[in-house]
Amino acid sequence: MKLVYFGNDALASTVDAFLDYGWSIAAFYVSPIEGVQKEIETRAKQLSAPVYSEKPQLSGMQKHVEAGTNMFFAAEYLHKIPVPYDLQYAVNLHTSLLPIGRGACPLPNILEKNTKAAGLTLHKLTKIFDQGDIVLQQKINVCPSDSLNTLTVKLSVAAPQILRRFLGDSEDLYNKAWPQSQGEVWPVPPAHTRILDWDLTVDRLNRRIKAFGHFGTIIKMDDKYWRVVFAEAITGQHHGRPGDLIFRSNDLIAVACLDGFVCIPCKALVSI
């Protein structure tokens, strides 16, 4: 059995599940976003499979099917995938429990709005993003200490599990897929929701820091905007006003907030 894989590093753990079940990967398609496909490119090299970054076209997808491809599998892939009518399987692995959390970036919203939507959904690929019939789902438990980083890892660990369940009985599960009910589309969080507002409480800032994790929050300092990929907010007394820089060294800064301060390693600051 042969598949074409569409995706990036976030759920690259699924590659081994296919190999364990004897599938071969004819090609990889990656999103044209810098730095999110290094692991996929490494696996492709190991498997001597080509890697494409261009937007898929129906003619190219039909050639894959004519060459013996049985499945299109997508996970965290940017583009819509044209599916030839004679392809046996076409599925996407989405990082929420659909129909809640449709959209390209559900994790921050899961952490800030609805942890009950945390999980994975394997569903059929259709012309409308994230609305195909559901093949399988797997819930992920979220605890108060979870962040986007830890949830990302939990999903990566769970992804091969749900995929192995599917591969063990793919034809029956695919045929028994059930339609989605009316759900919720969560747009990609706009940039202003990532800003660390120093007039917020430590509790609110920590929730924002956790929700965006390695995606990064945003601060303004020295008349420039910076992406912050790691920060810690803690309650405590200081003599500054919200937004004041109350500590600065070669490798650490601290900024006053409403009821405490936020520590940011200088290495976690990326100019934008």
Side-chain angles (χ1 to χ4, degrees):
M1 300 287 277
K2 187 188 300 184
L3 76 137
V4 175
Y5 189 107
F6 301 81
N8 296 314
D9 289 352
L11 296 176
S13 58
T14 53
V15 171
D16 283 334
F18 282 110
L19 300 179
D20 290 346
Y21 272 80
W23 285 72
S24 63
I25 302 178
F28 290 87
Y29 283 76
V30 296
S31 302
I33 302 172
E34 185 179 357
V36 301
Q37 65 278 70
K38 291 182 179 180
E39 179 63 22
I40 287 293
E41 290 174 345
T42 298
R43 299 309 308 273
K45 186 176 181 179
Q46 293 169 346
L47 297 169
S48 300
V51 178
Y52 303 102
S53 59
E54 64 265 24
K55 187 176 181 180
Q57 302 296 326
L58 181 58
S59 58
M61 301 302 100
Q62 186 63 52
K63 288 180 181 178
H64 285 303
V65 175
E66 292 170 359
T69 292
N70 308 94
M71 181 188 297
F72 288 174
F73 173 80
E76 297 289 284
Y77 186 65
L78 178 65
H79 296 304
K80 191 172 292 185
I81 303 167
V83 179
Y85 75 94
D86 50 347
L87 180 65
Q88 188 174 1
Y89 303 111
V91 292
N92 177 62
L93 189 59
H94 184 74
T95 51
S96 79
L97 293 179
L98 295 174
I100 307 300
R102 293 175 181 143
C105 189
L107 300 194
N109 283 311
I110 285 173
L111 290 162
E112 287 209 295
K113 295 180 179 179
N114 188 353
T115 58
K116 292 181 179 179
L120 292 165
T121 300
L122 188 71
H123 67 89
K124 293 184 178 181
L125 283 172
T126 64
K127 294 181 179 180
I128 305 175
F129 279 122
D130 304 328
Q131 294 197 31
D133 291 353
I134 294 172
V135 179
L136 280 173
Q137 290 188 305
Q138 185 164 328
K139 181 176 176 56
I140 300 291
N141 291 321
V142 176
C143 61
S145 60
D146 269 319
S147 65
L148 182 138
N149 298 343
T150 60
L151 183 53
T152 296
V153 174
K154 285 183 176 183
L155 290 165
S156 176
V157 171
Q161 299 170 6
I162 189 172
L163 190 53
R164 287 188 174 97
R165 287 167 56 198
F166 172 59
L167 295 174
D169 193 15
S170 54
E171 183 175 0
D172 188 54
L173 290 170
Y174 196 78
N175 290 333
K176 290 181 177 177
W178 65 94
Q180 295 188 37
S181 58
Q182 185 174 359
E184 296 179 16
V185 177
W186 291 346
V188 174
H192 71 84
T193 65
R194 296 168 60 182
I195 293 174
L196 296 184
D197 182 346
W198 308 120
D199 289 318
L200 295 176
T201 64
V202 162
D203 178 69
R204 189 67 188 88
L205 286 168
N206 267 326
R207 279 188 283 154
R208 185 162 295 183
I209 290 166
K210 288 180 178 180
F212 289 100
H214 65 278
F215 288 178
T217 50
I218 298 172
I219 67 169
K220 187 176 183 181
M221 183 178 65
D222 298 333
D223 295 322
K224 291 177 62 177
Y225 284 98
W226 302 80
R227 184 165 69 98
V228 179
V229 296
F230 180 82
E232 297 173 290
I234 188 168
T235 55
Q237 295 183 344
H238 54 75
H239 300 291
R241 297 171 299 175
D244 285 351
L245 197 64
I246 61 172
F247 179 85
R248 188 170 203 162
S249 69
N250 287 333
D251 52 9
L252 182 70
I253 64 170
V255 183
C257 63
L258 187 64
D259 58 348
F261 53 90
V262 179
C263 296
I264 304 171
C266 294
K267 290 182 178 179
L269 291 164
V270 181
S271 179
I272 57 176

